[in-house]
Each structure stands twice: as C-alpha cells, then as structure tokens.
C-alpha cells in the first residue's frame, strides 16, 4: 500500500489487519479462504466478487495505490529482546 497513512483493511468482512506508513509491515496477508465469494453477492462473468474495505484514519495521498502479490515480502526489521550471541 503506497501513499496511505494509517488505518485498517477488511476483505470480505474479515479484518486483515492494520497498516501504518512508518511500518514495520510492508504487506498484509490474506488467507485464501477469505477470498471466497461474499454471501449475497452475485458472481459476474465467472469471477468471484471480493469486497475490500480500507479505513484510512490519518491521510491518503491523492495517488494512493494498492498492489496485490502472491509472494511474501520480508524486510530487515530488528527484533528487540533477542540476544544472538547466546
């Protein structure tokens, strides 16, 4: 999610999580069962309708984007409280 401030994301009424432009998350994970057709919505042109709700609490840049990927993105974020010397 590029250009967004901070907020929450729902997919088919499932809370996926929260995001914040300062991180540390780079992507939100959506389990495959959450992508099933939402009850009450009709399937159009053979495709499963997916409802995505983004609640922006801070600000949203005019050129906000949401990108979907089937690959994880791992970033180098330090883990506090772990001693690697032991």
């Amino acid at each position: 999610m590029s250009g967004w401030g901070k907020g929450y994301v729902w997919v088919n009424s499932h809370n996926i999580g929260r995001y914040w432009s300062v991180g540390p998350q780079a992507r939100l994970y959506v389990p495959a069962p959450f992508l099933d057709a939402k009850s009450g919505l009709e399937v159009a042109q053979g495709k499963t309708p997916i409802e995505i709700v983004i609640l922006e609490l801070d600000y949203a840049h005019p050129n906000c984007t949401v990108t979907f990927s089937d690959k994880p993105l791992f970033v180098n974020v330090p883990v506090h409280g772990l001693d690697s010397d032991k």
Side-chain angles (χ1 to χ4, degrees), residues 2-83:
S2 176
W4 298 86
K6 64 180 173 181
Y8 296 87
V9 178
W10 289 266
V11 173
N12 290 340
S13 301
H14 298 282
N15 186 341
I16 301 304
R18 58 186 178 181
Y19 62 89
W20 192 12
S21 60
V22 299
Q25 77 285 355
R27 293 188 178 161
L28 295 175
Y29 173 74
V30 180
F34 289 8
L35 298 176
D36 287 342
K38 187 173 172 150
S39 61
L41 294 178
E42 294 183 20
V43 176
Q45 300 174 357
K47 296 182 180 178
T48 303
I50 297 173
E51 179 184 52
I52 300 172
V53 176
I54 300 173
L55 174 62
E56 173 61 44
L57 299 173
D58 195 12
Y59 67 92
H61 188 273
N63 296 323
C64 294
T65 61
V66 175
T67 305
F68 298 92
S69 175
D70 61 351
K71 305 278 188 274
L73 175 64
F74 298 103
V75 294
N76 188 12
V77 178
V79 178
H80 301 287
L82 297 178
D83 187 357

